[in-house]
Every structure is written in structure tokens, then in C-alpha cells.
């Protein structure tokens, strides 16, 4: 059991170091040597878990990005009974988190989409799966909000979910391109103003 735990711990360390390298330098700029330096592992230990760089990159998407996004969304969805407020607060927290970064790297998922989705089928399939997970989570929340009376009954959750997801990716991409994370507050604020228009009118007694 101890050996299994140590192996799993080693694997997790490798994945976390790889994710950090990809975020800093992109997948194509990720160097195995840098991961070995960060984890203080021998090359054989890394290749025991991941036979090559591509397998490591795929695992980062499958296990790090997917898990982080699902966990993050579930935390907000469980904290707020109103799905619109959950979405808005998540955007505000993102803006607050990144506003003081000297070198804004953008959204890890968006970065990999831009870099790898069009040139590698394995990355494309995995990134599409992550995006689909986000999309379905928003659709489900909006539909639940309609059933609970928080969200207008006349909106189309599938169209709105895609628009919200695309807007988020665009905002993060624009702030990265302009190296202006301070813009996130205004941009997400504008998106949140739109989300407010999705609210069901308050019932009068």
C-alpha cells in the first residue's frame, strides 16, 4: 500500500509540475528537464508513469484541467442557490485573482485550445471534452434555474450557455493579448450586467 501511495504521489507531482510548465511556456515549450528539476526525479521515474511528452500533456488535460474545472464549478454551484449569481461571482473572483499579475498568462484551457486543438487530434478531442463539460454544466444550471424560478422561462439555455462560455474565453484571451488583467473587472462586469437580464422577474404578491 505504501508503494502504491508513493507511486501515486510521484505521478501527481509530475502532473502538477507539467501543468505549471505548460501554463508558463505552452505545451510545445514544456521541457521534460524542467519538470525533472521541479520534482527532483530521475528521468526513469517520469517515464515510468508517462512514456512520452505527449502522454504527459494529454494527462494534464484529462486529470488536472478537467478535475479543476469541475471542482471549481461545483463549489460555486453548491454555494449559491441561484445559478446566475454563482456564475457572476465566479467571474468576479477570477478578475480579483488575476488583477495584480505582472505577466498575465490567461486561461490555461483557452491557452491550450489556441495552441494545440488545431494541430493535434488527441489534444483536440480532450479539450473538446473539457469544453463540453463546461457547456453542459452551464446548460444544466440554467435549466434548473428556470425550474426554480430564478431564470427567465423564455430564454434558450443551450444558446445562452454557449454565449456565456464563449464570452468568458474571449475576455480572458483579450486581457492576455493586451497584458491588461485590470480590464477583467470591467469586462466581466459588463458580462454580468448581461447575465442580470436573464433573471426572472420578481413575483409580486
Amino acid at each position: 500500500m505504501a508503494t502504491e501511495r508513493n507511486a501515486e504521489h510521484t505521478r501527481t507531482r509530475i502532473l502538477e509540475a507539467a501543468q505549471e510548465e505548460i501554463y508558463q511556456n505552452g505545451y510545445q515549450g514544456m521541457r521534460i528537464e524542467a519538470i525533472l528539476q521541479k520534482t527532483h526525479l530521475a528521468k526513469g521515474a517520469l517515464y515510468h508513469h508517462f512514456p512520452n511528452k505527449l502522454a504527459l500533456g494529454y494527462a494534464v488535460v484529462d486529470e488536472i484541467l478537467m478535475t479543476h474545472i469541475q471542482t471549481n464549478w461545483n463549489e460555486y454551484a453548491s454555494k449559491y442557490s441561484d445559478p446566475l449569481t454563482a456564475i457572476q461571482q465566479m467571474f468576479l473572483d477570477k478578475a480579483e485573482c488575476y488583477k495584480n499579475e505582472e505577466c498575465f498568462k490567461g486561461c490555461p484551457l483557452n491557452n491550450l485550445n489556441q495552441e494545440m486543438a488545431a494541430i493535434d487530434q488527441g489534444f483536440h478531442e480532450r479539450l473538446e471534452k473539457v469544453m463540453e463539460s463546461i457547456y453542459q454544466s452551464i446548460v444544466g444550471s440554467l435549466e434548473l434555474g428556470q425550474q426554480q424560478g430564478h431564470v427567465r422561462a423564455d430564454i434558450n439555455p443551450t444558446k445562452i450557455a454557449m454565449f456565456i462560455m464563449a464570452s468568458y474565453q474571449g475576455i480572458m484571451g483579450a486581457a492576455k493579448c493586451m497584458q491588461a488583467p485590470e480590464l477583467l473587472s470591467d469586462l466581466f462586469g459588463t458580462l454580468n450586467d448581461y447575465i442580470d437580464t436573464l433573471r426572472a422577474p420578481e413575483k409580486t404578491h
Side-chain angles (χ1 to χ4, degrees), residues 66-145:
M66 178 67 89
T67 299
H68 171 75
I69 286 169
Q70 290 178 337
T71 300
N72 190 52
W73 174 256
N74 288 337
E75 286 178 356
Y76 281 93
S78 62
K79 189 175 181 179
Y80 299 94
S81 59
D82 170 12
L84 298 180
T85 299
I87 295 170
Q88 289 175 317
Q89 192 58 53
M90 183 171 61
F91 291 159
L92 293 175
D93 289 348
K94 287 286 185 183
E96 183 66 23
C97 176
Y98 290 121
K99 71 177 183 179
N100 293 321
E101 283 201 0
E102 292 184 8
C103 183
F104 180 48
K105 298 293 185 180
C107 168
L109 176 61
N110 193 21
N111 293 346
L112 271 176
N113 274 328
Q114 296 295 323
E115 181 189 8
M116 298 303 299
I119 64 175
D120 182 88
Q121 184 63 25
F123 267 107
H124 170 79
E125 292 173 355
R126 286 165 172 81
L127 292 166
E128 185 177 40
K129 186 176 179 180
V130 177
M131 296 289 285
E132 180 67 17
S133 175
I134 298 170
Y135 169 69
Q136 292 297 341
S137 293
I138 299 174
V139 170
S141 293
L142 292 175
E143 290 176 342
L144 180 61

Side-chain angles (χ1 to χ4, degrees), residues 4 6 23-24 36-37 39 82 84 110 127 140-141 150 152 159 167 186 189 197:
E4 291 180 7
N6 290 338
Y23 186 55
Q24 293 293 326
L36 296 177
Q37 290 176 0
T39 56
D82 170 12
L84 298 180
N110 193 21
L127 292 166
S141 293
H150 297 300
R152 282 168 37 201
K159 291 182 179 180
S167 297
D186 287 341
T197 69

Side-chain angles (χ1 to χ4, degrees), residues 145-190:
Q146 286 179 320
Q147 296 170 15
Q148 296 174 335
H150 297 300
V151 178
R152 282 168 37 201
D154 63 327
I155 72 160
N156 184 327
T158 58
K159 291 182 179 180
I160 298 299
M162 185 60 70
F163 176 73
I164 290 174
M165 185 173 70
S167 297
Y168 171 82
Q169 295 294 326
I171 287 171
M172 294 294 280
K176 176 187 175 183
C177 182
M178 299 173 69
Q179 278 301 293
E182 68 276 5
L183 289 177
L184 292 175
S185 293
D186 287 341
L187 293 173
F188 279 131
T190 300

Side-chain angles (χ1 to χ4, degrees), residues 47-68:
Y47 286 121
H48 171 73
H49 293 281
F50 305 98
N52 51 50
K53 178 179 174 179
L54 194 59
L56 180 55
Y58 288 168
V60 167
V61 178
D62 292 338
E63 301 177 41
I64 299 293
L65 290 185
M66 178 67 89
T67 299
H68 171 75

